[in-house]
Amino acid sequence: MSGASEKPGVLNGFEETVKDFWASRPRRPHAGRKLAGVAAAIGYRYGVDPVVVRIALVVTTIFGGFGVPFYLLGWLFFPGESDEVSGFEGLIGRGRSSVSPAFAVVLLVLTVVSTGGSITGSWFDGGGLISCALIAAALYLLHRSRGHLNRPAPVAVRTSHPAFTGNGAFTMTDTAEAPTPARGWDPLAADPAGWDLPDATPAPEPPPAAPPRPRHHGSQRGPRSKVGSATFALAVVTAGGAVLAGLNGATWFDAQHIIGLVLGVVGIGLVAGAFAGGGRGLIGLAVPLAIVGMVLTTAPFKNFEVRGGVGDIRETPQTSTELKPLYQHAAGDIRLDLTELPEGAPYSTNVSNGAGDTTVTVPANADVTFDCRTGAGEASCFGRSTDGISQPALTGTDNGPDGVGGQKITLHVSNSVGNVEVRRG
């Protein structure tokens, strides 16, 4: 007794499901693939449109980053359609694979690097782990409910037999069949007529052919599913509620978060549609949402407020009345030189730039209290610097080479996109 379920197609427990998944892994087909055939393999194995699988991988790549490592893992551990073993198993000598050992090593290195990048470099904390868990859960549920369908036929293992070369020598080959002695040959040199040999046994009947893979043709679609309509309605309600919350003062509901919520609803609809056999129309909504979300998150427009005109600003105030309390610009470079200000009362100013570089020059011995930040780019203030997206602000006081006792200046410098630099003249 192995503990397997008596009902066909039903697996008992998590461990049995995982073991059966490994034993009947999807095989990467020769036809229908776009790159390595990982998405097509999963789609054909579980009766899901491969396009849905590809969209799911793209979404998990954009939100979380684990789509690329998963694809590389599938390339490495899913055997080809006519392979004995997977690329990784071929690397360790378990059998024949179309993935060469050298390329398997390359895939292994890329998998490790991309996995580390998805965990440490995602847009939000834990995003890579969340997308990994979602992919693993989807595969587990697919195999538990559809693992008995379209099970791949085993590939015959090629064995080595001695082959006669014609010149009296034998060589080992994996393509030659084992030699069969002729019926009339007598190893004891007796009369062949004296042997009572049984009749040849009939050849066994060939095994039944594997069922054809499910193909998805537009002309053979089943009844229209309600998954797409329900998901679209729920996405509209989610977007409307989030916008209303944002208008009522909920600061969390900005453009990035609203798009993320809507895309999450669409993603759930795609997964549900994969099981229920519908919802393909949601792909046309998921792709542009994913692109817009990626742009908004990569280029943080969250702090990009309505500012002044476009172009470069170069100001060198020489009196306290010429020094403006706010220098604000929508796009362009700002160059503010404060070295011509006379000593006396403390000065304070704010510099706010939408897109462009901002440089502020202060007197050599001034005592400067500063707050420098940029949404995307490099900030460098008195030898301290940050580089990247949404980095913390640089704050502090720098008294110059002469120590405390110089002109007092307070600076607040912020950019949405571009470099910020505060330096001494």
Side-chain angles (χ1 to χ4, degrees):
M1 299 296 292
S2 62
S5 173
E6 296 180 358
K7 296 181 180 180
V10 178
L11 298 171
N12 287 330
F14 176 80
E15 183 178 356
E16 182 182 341
T17 304
V18 173
K19 289 181 178 179
D20 188 71
F21 170 79
W22 179 258
S24 60
R25 284 166 290 168
R27 288 185 170 269
R28 297 181 290 107
H30 298 306
R33 62 169 61 183
K34 298 299 181 183
L35 180 60
V38 174
I42 296 173
Y44 296 155
R45 175 67 175 88
Y46 299 111
V48 178
D49 194 331
V51 176
V52 176
V53 181
R54 295 185 182 107
I55 293 297
L57 290 176
V58 171
V59 171
T60 53
T61 298
I62 296 175
F63 293 94
F66 199 76
V68 171
F70 174 79
Y71 196 92
L72 294 173
L73 284 171
W75 199 341
L76 195 59
F77 287 97
F78 289 173
E81 190 173 30
S82 57
D83 293 347
E84 295 175 5
V85 295
S86 65
F88 180 80
E89 293 169 303
L91 176 64
I92 60 178
R94 294 292 183 86
R96 176 178 53 84
S97 173
S98 59
V99 178
S100 65
F103 190 64
V105 172
V106 173
L107 288 176
L108 190 61
V109 172
L110 291 177
T111 301
V112 173
V113 173
S114 60
T115 301
S118 67
I119 294 176
T120 60
S122 58
W123 294 354
F124 53 95
D125 294 338
L129 296 177
I130 292 174
S131 60
C132 173
L134 290 175
I135 291 176
L139 273 182
Y140 175 80
L141 294 175
L142 276 174
H143 191 80
R144 188 163 179 81
S145 61
R146 302 188 178 192
H148 60 288
L149 304 175
N150 306 321
R151 296 181 71 88
V155 177
V157 179
R158 298 162 67 182
T159 57
S160 297
H161 300 289
F164 185 67
T165 61
N167 57 0
F170 287 89
T171 59
M172 298 301 295
T173 175
D174 62 352
T175 57
E177 296 181 355
T180 303
R183 179 169 178 171
W185 175 71
D186 185 4
L188 301 178
D191 183 6
W195 286 85
D196 185 13
L197 300 176
D199 294 334
T201 57
E205 296 183 0
R213 298 188 185 94
R215 301 287 180 176
H216 301 271
H217 301 287
S219 59
Q220 298 179 357
R221 293 177 182 172
R224 190 175 185 88
S225 172
K226 296 181 180 179
V227 173
S229 301
T231 303
F232 181 78
L234 183 58
V236 171
V237 171
T238 301
V243 170
L244 288 176
L247 293 176
N248 286 312
T251 58
W252 188 85
F253 291 97
D254 54 17
Q256 295 96 314
H257 289 113
I258 293 174
I259 291 177
L261 287 174
V262 175
L263 190 59
V265 172
V266 174
I268 294 173
L270 285 171
V271 174
F275 285 95
R280 290 191 63 185
L282 296 173
I283 296 173
L285 179 61
V287 172
L289 279 176
I291 294 174
V292 173
M294 180 177 62
V295 171
L296 289 178
T297 308
T298 304
F301 298 103
K302 182 176 180 179
N303 299 321
F304 195 99
E305 303 170 353
V306 178
R307 294 178 169 90
V310 176
D312 295 341
I313 293 179
R314 287 175 170 80
E315 295 281 349
T316 307
Q318 297 181 353
T319 64
S320 59
T321 56
E322 292 181 4
L323 178 64
K324 300 175 183 177
L326 174 63
Y327 294 88
Q328 187 168 277
H329 213 42
D333 295 341
I334 297 178
R335 300 287 186 268
L336 180 61
D337 187 351
L338 304 180
T339 59
E340 300 296 326
L341 288 173
E343 294 187 7
Y347 299 106
S348 178
T349 187
N350 296 271
V351 182
S352 180
N353 199 356
D357 296 339
T358 300
T359 303
V360 180
T361 306
V362 299
N365 297 321
D367 297 345
V368 182
T369 301
F370 59 92
D371 179 345
C372 305
R373 68 183 70 209
T374 181
E378 181 182 3
S380 176
C381 297
F382 304 109
R384 298 169 54 191
S385 63
T386 61
D387 190 6
I389 297 174
S390 299
Q391 295 296 316
L394 297 174
T395 60
T397 300
D398 188 278
N399 296 317
D402 64 338
V404 180
Q407 177 67 51
K408 305 295 184 182
I409 297 177
T410 301
L411 286 176
H412 298 279
V413 185
S414 65
N415 270 29
S416 288
V417 179
N419 298 329
V420 170
E421 181 182 9
V422 178
R423 63 191 182 189
R424 295 188 179 275

